[in-house]
Amino acid sequence: MTNQPRGPVDSSRVPRYAGPATFARLPRLDEVPRADIAVVGVPFDTGVSYRPGARFAPAAVREASRLLRPYHPGLDVSPFAAAQVADAGDIPVNPFDINEAIETVEEEASRLQSDGTKLLTIGGDHTIALPLLRAVAKKHGPVAVLHFDAHLDTWDTYFGAEYTHGTPFRRAVEEGIVDTEALSHVGTRGPLYGKRDLEEDRRLGFGIVTSSDVLRRGVDETVDALRQRIGDRPLYVSVDIDVLDPAHAPGTGTPEAGGMTSRELLEILRGLAGLNLVGGDVVEVAPAYDHADITSVAASHVAYDLISLFTLDSAGPREEQT
């Protein structure tokens, strides 16, 4: 039927390791009339403070996504049959000018969402969360933010620079593009510069669920607390892959011991089913430090779960494709 979404390449006919490495082997955006959900890469890591390399993440995560399959049993949804999902390629950003790069990401994200398409963005470093939030706020107003990360990312400056991968959420609060009644960090841990970091973070409006809290409370209690805080607000989910323990995500720029497992992260994401998810990103994969694609595989599954959450509000299931 003409209204059926075009799904991934049929892996029973074309081996998974053959053909173009679009996300989950989906069609390119220019191969479909329009997309309900677009996966876009931002190969940018000029905002990092330690290890570089996240500019290579979109390609690595797409390659790792070849093994994703069309039915999600945990959420009981066939995301690529419920909605038209397409790969929008990469946003070409200036690697030498952070301000220009931020403007480019905001402009391109706004353009891609102008017809109602939802974006799942693969970074890149966490600097890109700011322009992505700007673009989402243009459509929805200030949004709730669920931020999975080992770090707060609410510092003021690094070396006097206001725009880095450690500052996007402070800038977002200052710009009024996020709902300060519904901001949450999940998975934070490790040393800080001082107790003042936590005090300033609270002043900005963030609630914190540390990785130790997840361990002690468990997934279900964590999800209940997050859902109560978010309510029915439009929600943006930002996942820094370093929220995972280095055992589960060694390929990242600023690893911290004592993190969540990939299973815990995926289960918390699945607990968000039914919320008003309007955008999301997966950032900070640094393939050069990865082993056996552990980090890229984890990131591809996180992206797949976010896409699946996007599709749960679609008007009824459509015929599943292989």
Side-chain angles (χ1 to χ4, degrees):
M1 295 175 63
T2 57
N3 65 341
Q4 294 297 310
R6 178 175 168 182
V9 172
D10 185 345
S11 295
S12 70
R13 296 179 180 274
V14 181
R16 295 184 182 280
Y17 43 80
T22 58
F23 185 83
R25 311 186 81 199
L26 288 160
R28 300 190 315 267
L29 185 59
D30 62 2
E31 295 177 316
V32 296
R34 68 170 300 276
D36 301 302
I37 301 161
V39 181
V40 65
V42 182
F44 173 84
D45 61 6
T46 308
V48 301
S49 56
Y50 194 51
R51 294 171 173 173
R55 66 183 60 185
F56 300 110
V61 174
R62 286 186 176 103
E63 190 66 34
S65 75
R66 287 178 178 271
L67 201 55
L68 294 172
R69 298 178 180 87
Y71 174 66
H72 192 314
L75 291 171
D76 188 24
V77 64
S78 297
F80 310 136
Q84 180 61 69
V85 189
D87 192 318
D90 290 343
I91 297 175
V93 291
N94 187 335
F96 303 109
D97 189 324
I98 290 181
N99 290 333
E100 181 183 321
I102 288 172
E103 291 175 4
T104 300
V105 173
E106 180 183 351
E107 290 170 1
E108 286 300 300
S110 297
R111 181 185 64 81
L112 287 167
Q113 295 175 94
S114 62
D115 62 353
T117 299
K118 293 183 178 180
L119 283 192
L120 188 285
T121 306
I122 302 172
D125 74 54
H126 224 151
T127 309
I128 69 170
L130 177 62
L132 293 171
L133 284 167
R134 288 175 179 172
V136 168
K138 288 177 186 176
K139 292 182 67 68
H140 301 279
V143 295
V145 173
L146 186 49
H147 170 221
F148 292 87
D149 202 321
H151 311 98
L152 301 173
D153 288 4
T154 52
W155 286 283
D156 192 7
T157 63
Y158 280 93
F159 297 91
E162 294 182 337
Y163 301 107
T164 77
H165 75 158
T167 65
F169 297 104
R170 179 185 285 256
R171 300 288 91 84
V173 171
E174 292 170 348
E175 293 180 15
I177 57 177
V178 295
D179 186 334
T180 54
E181 297 296 316
L183 305 178
S184 299
H185 304 298
V186 181
T188 55
R189 62 191 186 276
L192 298 169
Y193 295 108
K195 190 173 183 179
R196 183 181 176 186
D197 292 340
L198 295 173
E199 294 167 351
E200 291 193 0
D201 193 77
R202 281 193 294 270
R203 180 180 59 80
L204 293 169
F206 278 90
I208 296 177
V209 180
T210 68
S211 60
S212 297
D213 291 333
V214 174
L215 173 65
R216 293 189 173 93
R217 298 176 187 173
V219 167
D220 291 342
E221 186 177 329
T222 298
V223 167
D224 287 345
L226 294 173
R227 292 182 69 97
Q228 289 178 28
R229 188 170 179 85
I230 295 162
D232 60 358
R233 297 173 175 89
L235 171 65
Y236 187 91
V237 177
S238 185
V239 182
D240 185 326
I241 206 65
D242 73 21
V243 72
L244 300 178
D245 189 87
H248 296 263
T252 191
T254 47
E256 302 280 358
M260 291 163 53
T261 68
S262 53
R263 179 175 58 243
E264 287 172 330
L265 174 57
L266 293 174
E267 286 299 315
I268 291 173
L269 289 175
R270 293 165 192 173
L272 306 178
L275 296 183
N276 183 19
L277 185 61
V278 296
D281 63 57
V282 186
V283 298
E284 298 283 355
V285 174
Y289 304 98
D290 209 0
H291 307 290
D293 299 330
I294 293 172
T295 314
S296 297
V297 168
S300 73
H301 280 263
V302 169
Y304 176 67
D305 271 41
L306 289 171
I307 290 168
S308 297
L309 290 171
F310 281 145
T311 66
L312 288 177
D313 290 332
S314 300
R318 305 188 223 186
E319 184 179 343
E320 184 175 328
Q321 300 187 16
T322 306

